[in-house]
Amino acid sequence: MKNKKALIIGGGIAGLCTGVYLRRAGFDTEILEMHTLAGGLATAWTRKGYTFENCVHWLVGSKPGADMNAQWKEVFDIDRLLFHNDDVYEVIEKDGDRMTVFQNVDRLEREWLDKAPGDAAAIREFSGLVRKLSRFRTNPGDSLIDRLKFLAGVIPFLPTLGRYSKLTMGKFALKFKHPLLREFFGVGLSDLSFLAIAFALAWMTNRNAGYPIGGSPIIIGLIEERYKSLGGKIRFGARVEKIVVENGRAAGVLLAGGERLSADIVVSAADGHATIFDMLEGKYVSDKINKIYATYKRFPSYVQVSLGVAADFKKEPPFLYTTPVKTIEIDPETRRDSLSIRIFNFDPTFAPAGKTALVAFFTTTNDEYWVALRQNDRNKYEAEKSRIAAEVITAVEARFPAAAGKVEVADVATPATVVRYTGNWRGSMEGWLMTPASGIKQLPSVLPGLKNFYMVGQWISPGGGLPSGLLTGRNVTRRICKDFGLPWKAN
Ligand SMILES: Cc1cc2nc3c(=O)[nH]c(=O)nc-3n(C[C@H](O)[C@H](O)[C@H](O)COP(=O)(O)OP(=O)(O)OC[C@H]3O[C@@H](n4cnc5c(N)ncnc54)[C@H](O)[C@@H]3O)c2cc1C
């Protein structure tokens, strides 16, 4: 019997993982990716010998045998990655004061109690929660017995999860008097669910959130390799404009340029808003979906300033939150008195010996300004990027005098870059923010009134992240197998 044909829109991590699972399920698969390479947000770029990472700080599942590790093995050979597990997650400094966020919860607790004894109750509450969540298993497994065991294991955690799921980072920050701890929890994504940071630290203390040397391209390259080795096809420079619907079923897609491709099923691993409201013209929505798109909070967009510096930052932390010498104006609505810098001294593949790639990151919700500026005034757009780069270089040189005059490369990515290269709605960095309102519940992967169509990726999984790409692709493929009476094969 002839295989059924699946078209997958988007070759980010979700599209690639879905491709792997659908190939195993026996579909002929073709991923349609508008860019010239796979990865979407999970990407990095190279300038004059320096590599600048856009995404990965950590990969949940890095530890053999721990949560998510077995699932990653289904889509690529994770054992080929070399993981770096730093002792330090971040150093926060301000007004001569300094606090370290250790990855190990016991060290973190000791450091914070030492530096902020007046906050002992809140510190113990946080470290106690991290310890508790480090015992929480997130893998339900496939068989009924595995699922029942998982549910039995979850029950003792329900009161804790219920209590903290209503709390945001910003609200928890108010429990602290020490200004640095207030900044750690309260600055940045203050609407983010407090459980997000507690889980992140729990994975870190378990050594299950390592950084893969080589960054995003290494992970993406290995998944793409697995997908192709299974016979999956990927076509680059293929932008989908419309999803073709015939008699209530997705029947194919229309590419920019007019080419029409037919399929038995269509899976969108692209931006959720563009999929539902542009490619499908908003014809297949429910009140629930409209409400989500009207009310859920998104992760913001960002300006990323990447610097290649001919200096050795070996003694510096991997991630530094500091104060610039003067306020940095990112755009007319966004001014920053803090500077978050990733110092890639732990990844030797990112810079020539003795040199270092640095990445400064600023969130902004003023994406429309950046997109319009690039479109309407290219000279001013470039000038603004140069201005921001110069301000960041001044701040970096003031903080690290050894770097003065040694910046060899400066590269600025704006929300317009994010939109152009990934198509994410409003340049969002990670889709839906996980908030008390959204919770962790997945959004529908199918749309009302439309058969043979499915959605995967960060826009159906609040909180986003690389694991959501795999898990949504896995869950949706199981559902497709059920819909088409095919056996489900994870491996
Ligand atoms: C700064 C930053 C830090 C992050 N840190 C981490 C981290 O440490 N750990 C972690 O797990 N996650 C992290 N993330 C989140 C993670 O990168 C994303 O959640 C994940 O990569 C999203 O994958 P996706 O496949 O769902 O979507 P995307 O990566 O957005 O992929 C969508 C793909 O679809 C393509 N596409 C869009 N529209 C079309 C169309 N019309 N036709 C054809 N193709 C189309 C795009 O080009 C893109 O390749 C981070 C993200 C950012 C931005």
Side-chain angles (χ1 to χ4, degrees):
M1 201 177 70
K2 201 167 155 273
N3 288 343
K4 292 212 177 291
K5 167 102 192 203
L7 287 175
I8 301 165
I9 308 168
I13 193 144
L16 290 171
C17 292
T18 308
V20 169
Y21 288 120
L22 281 176
R23 271 303 297 148
R24 281 212 191 98
F27 281 84
D28 284 341
T29 55
E30 184 167 18
I31 294 174
L32 303 167
E33 168 54 52
M34 65 177 184
H35 194 17
T36 50
L37 75 169
L41 289 165
T43 195
W45 49 92
T46 297
R47 300 278 182 276
K48 298 186 189 161
Y50 292 92
T51 300
F52 300 126
E53 172 66 41
N54 181 64
C55 160
V56 67
H57 296 64
W58 62 69
L59 183 72
V60 176
S62 61
K63 185 175 167 181
D67 278 358
M68 275 304 296
N69 187 263
Q71 279 83 359
W72 287 122
K73 283 191 171 148
E74 292 167 5
V75 295
F76 80 105
D77 188 358
I78 193 170
D79 294 336
R80 278 169 69 188
L81 295 181
L82 181 62
F83 283 102
H84 172 72
N85 285 293
D86 217 291
D87 289 339
V88 172
Y89 168 60
E90 184 179 14
V91 166
I92 320 162
E93 58 181 29
K94 196 172 186 178
D95 303 329
D97 210 356
R98 203 172 153 91
M99 184 90 77
T100 301
V101 182
F102 285 103
Q103 295 213 8
N104 176 282
V105 67
D106 298 332
R107 280 186 82 184
L108 174 144
E109 187 185 62
R110 278 200 298 278
E111 158 89 355
W112 289 11
L113 286 174
D114 186 38
K115 298 261 171 75
D119 285 327
I123 292 169
R124 290 214 170 88
E125 181 182 353
F126 181 64
S127 50
L129 176 66
V130 170
R131 280 191 197 95
K132 181 157 196 178
L133 295 181
S134 71
R135 296 190 290 277
F136 183 81
R137 297 280 72 85
T138 52
N139 284 342
D142 285 335
S143 71
L144 184 63
I145 292 188
D146 282 348
R147 284 176 176 262
L148 289 174
K149 272 194 200 155
F150 169 74
L151 285 177
V154 167
I155 290 167
F157 291 90
L158 287 179
T160 308
L161 294 176
R163 189 161 77 247
Y164 286 107
S165 64
K166 297 186 189 74
L167 203 60
T168 59
M169 296 268 284
K171 276 207 184 127
F172 195 74
L174 300 177
K175 293 195 176 205
F176 294 95
K177 290 187 272 304
H178 196 289
L180 293 184
L181 289 177
R182 275 201 166 205
E183 296 237 355
F184 177 67
F185 287 99
V187 169
L189 303 173
S190 60
D191 288 329
L192 184 65
S193 167
F194 169 66
L195 280 174
I197 184 74
F199 267 114
L201 263 301
W203 290 318
M204 284 182 206
T205 200
N206 283 343
R207 291 305 212 211
N208 192 28
Y211 166 87
I213 296 297
S216 295
I218 296 285
I219 305 172
I220 293 299
L222 288 172
I223 304 177
E224 192 179 346
E225 187 182 306
R226 173 69 59 87
Y227 171 65
K228 286 181 178 160
S229 76
L230 290 166
K233 291 194 190 118
I234 182 160
R235 179 163 158 189
F236 294 107
R239 176 193 287 272
V240 173
E241 288 212 321
K242 291 278 174 253
I243 294 165
V244 177
V245 179
E246 285 169 359
N247 304 321
R249 288 172 194 275
V253 302
L254 203 60
L255 296 183
E259 188 180 353
R260 187 192 150 143
L261 304 174
S262 299
D264 297 293
I265 63 167
V266 175
V267 180
S268 178
D271 170 65
H273 188 272
T275 300
I276 296 173
F277 298 101
D278 299 335
M279 295 180 214
L280 287 165
E281 298 171 339
K283 290 179 181 163
Y284 307 94
V285 288
S286 57
D287 288 349
K288 183 180 170 185
I289 290 167
N290 279 331
K291 191 170 167 212
I292 286 169
Y293 277 84
T295 61
Y296 272 25
K297 289 185 186 322
R298 289 177 308 270
F299 275 95
S301 194
Y302 56 97
V303 167
Q304 173 168 321
V305 180
S306 306
L307 304 178
V309 190
D312 184 348
F313 284 73
K314 279 277 174 285
K315 294 207 173 86
E316 303 301 338
F319 193 17
L320 179 70
Y321 176 91
T322 188
T323 313
V325 272
K326 73 180 197 29
T327 302
I328 299 177
E329 187 183 315
I330 299 301
D331 53 51
E333 283 175 20
T334 319
R335 296 162 69 78
R336 293 279 176 248
D337 290 315
S338 60
L339 182 64
S340 282
I341 319 175
R342 296 185 75 188
I343 302 172
F344 285 90
N345 52 11
F346 49 90
D347 192 331
T349 68
F350 274 13
K355 302 183 177 186
T356 316
L358 306 188
V359 168
F361 182 83
F362 306 90
T363 57
T364 171
T365 50
N366 207 6
D367 47 283
E368 282 166 335
Y369 160 83
W370 283 105
V371 171
L373 187 63
R374 186 177 184 281
Q375 206 172 312
N376 303 331
D377 191 346
R378 233 5 223 289
N379 290 339
K380 183 163 181 218
Y381 176 75
E382 294 302 331
E384 278 301 282
K385 292 208 305 182
S386 302
R387 178 190 60 73
I388 295 174
E391 289 187 24
V392 170
I393 291 170
T394 303
V396 166
E397 290 183 341
R399 173 60 184 78
F400 302 107
K406 296 198 175 144
V407 175
E408 297 185 319
V409 188
D411 175 87
V412 181
T414 72
T417 320
V418 184
V419 171
R420 225 154 38 92
Y421 283 104
T422 74
N424 275 293
W425 189 32
R426 307 283 312 262
S428 173
M429 61 182 277
E430 226 169 311
W432 301 117
L433 199 64
M434 191 177 135
T435 64
S438 75
I440 49 169
K441 204 162 169 267
Q442 297 231 325
L443 273 44
S445 58
V446 293
L447 298 177
L450 183 58
K451 293 206 168 89
N452 298 10
F453 172 78
Y454 305 84
M455 288 175 72
V456 295
Q458 63 180 10
W459 291 96
I460 65 155
S461 188
L466 300 169
S468 78
L470 179 145
L471 292 172
T472 55
R474 195 179 193 277
N475 291 341
V476 160
T477 305
R478 288 188 68 187
R479 178 179 184 142
I480 292 170
C481 285
K482 214 166 152 205
D483 289 352
F484 285 81
L486 297 165
W488 156 249
K489 278 184 257 166
N491 277 298

